[in-house]
């Protein structure tokens, strides 16, 4: 993944002045309070949020319980990918677990800018590829790593925010029971 992020940074460093200006114009920095909902269930995902500080999570409801599918830390892009791409209502919720600072880009503004500035189309492709790589890695880890190894990986991703994650959210994300999570934590 690091290699892909480096490709993105190289691409951005080669953007024309005009491309950088339009990207700056359509990007706003926003502050969200702990508990703020960035995306509601059955809402169309019309914005992407590049997390600068804080942590958020994505979840959906299954049989009256919450199932956590993603945590978003610094430099992660928080969105419901399917809803964002198709511009249709999604079943996911994105919630701030701490105060969050994020760079926000509106879907329509970005789509309009991509038509005028071809470098943004390449940037968009790289972002989609990065998400696909992350998703493939998550699936691979789910099928090849033990629950403890997945827990350790999550802990290493952002140790400074780990204490903000509720145990029920962690267990759900890892696909394990709270009891199993307690046993894992007791051995550390």
């Amino acid at each position: 993944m690091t290699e892909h992020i480096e490709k993105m940074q190289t691409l951005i460093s080669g953007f024309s002045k005009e491309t950088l200006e339009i990207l700056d114009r359509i990007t706003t920095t926003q502050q969200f309070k702990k508990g703020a909902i960035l995306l509601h269930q059955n809402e169309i995902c019309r914005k992407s949020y590049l997390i600068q500080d804080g942590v958020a999570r994505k979840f959906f409801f299954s049989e009256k319980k919450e199932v956590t599918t993603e945590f978003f830390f610094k430099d992660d892009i928080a969105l419901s990918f399917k809803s964002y791409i198709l511009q249709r209502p999604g079943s996911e919720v994105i919630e701030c677990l701490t105060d969050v600072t994020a760079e926000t880009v509106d879907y329509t503004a970005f789509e309009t800018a991509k038509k005028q500035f071809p470098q943004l189309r390449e940037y968009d492709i790289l972002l989609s590829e990065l998400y696909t790589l992350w998703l493939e890695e998550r699936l691979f880890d789910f099928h090849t790593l033990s629950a403890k190894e997945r827990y350790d990986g999550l802990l290493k991703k952002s140790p400074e925010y780990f204490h903000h994650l509720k145990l029920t959210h962690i267990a759900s994300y890892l696909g394990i029971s709270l009891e199993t999570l307690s046993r894992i934590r007791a051995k550390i």
Side-chain angles (χ1 to χ4, degrees):
M1 286 255 237
T2 304
E3 179 182 311
H4 215 72
I5 292 170
E6 288 171 6
K7 278 173 69 174
M8 290 179 62
Q9 291 169 339
T10 300
L11 176 67
I12 293 169
S13 69
F15 277 0
S16 68
K17 179 182 174 192
E18 295 80 14
T19 302
L20 289 171
E21 287 173 356
I22 192 68
L23 198 53
D24 189 50
R25 273 201 307 269
I26 66 172
T27 303
T28 58
T29 300
Q30 292 184 272
Q31 309 283 326
F32 301 96
K33 292 287 183 194
K34 177 182 177 177
I37 303 297
L38 304 181
L39 179 68
H40 292 273
Q41 185 176 18
N42 299 318
E43 183 178 67
I44 297 172
C45 185
R46 299 188 193 279
K47 294 185 179 187
S48 63
Y49 303 89
L50 176 61
I51 306 295
Q52 299 297 303
D53 189 40
V55 62
R57 77 173 177 125
K58 183 166 61 173
F59 66 95
F60 66 92
F61 296 97
S62 174
E63 299 174 16
K64 298 184 182 180
K65 70 175 184 176
E66 295 177 3
V67 177
T68 299
T69 56
E70 286 185 62
F71 291 109
F72 302 107
F73 302 102
K74 182 176 174 32
D75 296 330
D76 287 339
I77 297 176
L79 55 74
S80 170
F81 197 73
K82 182 177 180 181
S83 176
Y84 185 81
I85 296 298
L86 299 177
Q87 285 299 281
R88 292 189 184 145
S91 57
E92 297 163 312
V93 177
I94 300 176
E95 168 192 37
C96 296
L97 298 179
T98 65
D99 289 349
V100 169
T101 302
E103 289 184 0
T104 306
V105 177
D106 177 78
Y107 173 85
T108 304
F110 188 65
E111 289 300 306
T112 301
K114 282 190 328 189
K115 291 174 186 167
Q116 294 176 293
F117 300 92
Q119 290 175 314
L120 291 179
R121 287 193 293 265
E122 191 174 346
Y123 179 67
D124 195 32
I125 290 168
L126 284 174
L127 286 172
S128 296
E129 288 175 357
L130 188 61
Y131 184 77
T132 304
L133 290 171
W134 171 85
L135 187 58
E136 185 175 82
E137 186 176 291
R138 176 139 161 78
L139 285 170
F140 183 80
D141 288 353
F142 224 86
H143 291 287
T144 62
L145 300 179
S146 69
K148 180 177 182 335
E149 290 169 323
R150 293 193 312 271
Y151 176 83
D152 290 341
L154 179 61
L155 177 60
K156 288 177 190 166
K157 180 158 170 112
S158 193
E160 68 275 18
Y161 284 108
F162 197 76
H163 66 282
H164 291 286
L165 307 181
K166 291 183 180 178
L167 295 180
T168 54
H169 298 165
I170 294 170
S172 174
Y173 177 78
L174 297 174
I176 59 176
S177 68
L178 270 172
E179 294 77 19
T180 301
L181 180 59
S182 293
R183 284 192 295 274
I184 290 169
R185 290 168 45 90
K187 292 178 183 176
I188 296 177

